[in-house]
Amino acid sequence: MDMIQSTGAPAAIGPYSQAVDTGSTVYLSGQIGQDPASGQIVTGFKAQTIQALENLKAVLAAAGMTLDNLARSTSS
């Protein structure tokens, strides 16, 4: 099992990874609308949604993937 980290997304806070590659599946942790460069939450619902997706794209890129590789997405 490999832990995946990207500097293009906010660092994981706490005892988890941005993503884990099990060999056959990559599991991504949730992202928020935080700008990884400034560490600040961006302003506005739309901007936060876009930033969260950009963060997910950065983690996927670190795993050699894109949004096209997603099979399932859930929210809580």
Side-chain angles (χ1 to χ4, degrees):
M1 190 169 2
D2 294 318
M3 305 304 164
I4 298 169
Q5 298 292 324
S6 171
T7 57
I13 300 171
Y16 64 92
S17 301
Q18 292 174 329
V20 177
D21 185 345
T22 66
S24 60
T25 305
V26 175
Y27 295 95
L28 281 75
S29 295
Q31 290 290 326
I32 59 173
Q34 180 180 9
D35 180 335
S38 69
Q40 299 296 312
I41 302 293
V42 297
T43 303
F45 177 79
K46 182 176 179 178
Q48 288 180 21
T49 302
I50 291 168
Q51 185 63 59
L53 288 169
E54 291 299 321
N55 294 345
L56 286 171
K57 285 169 42 178
V59 177
L60 282 167
M65 299 180 172
T66 70
L67 290 173
D68 291 332
N69 296 107
L70 290 180
R72 180 178 176 193
S73 175
T74 61
S75 64
S76 54

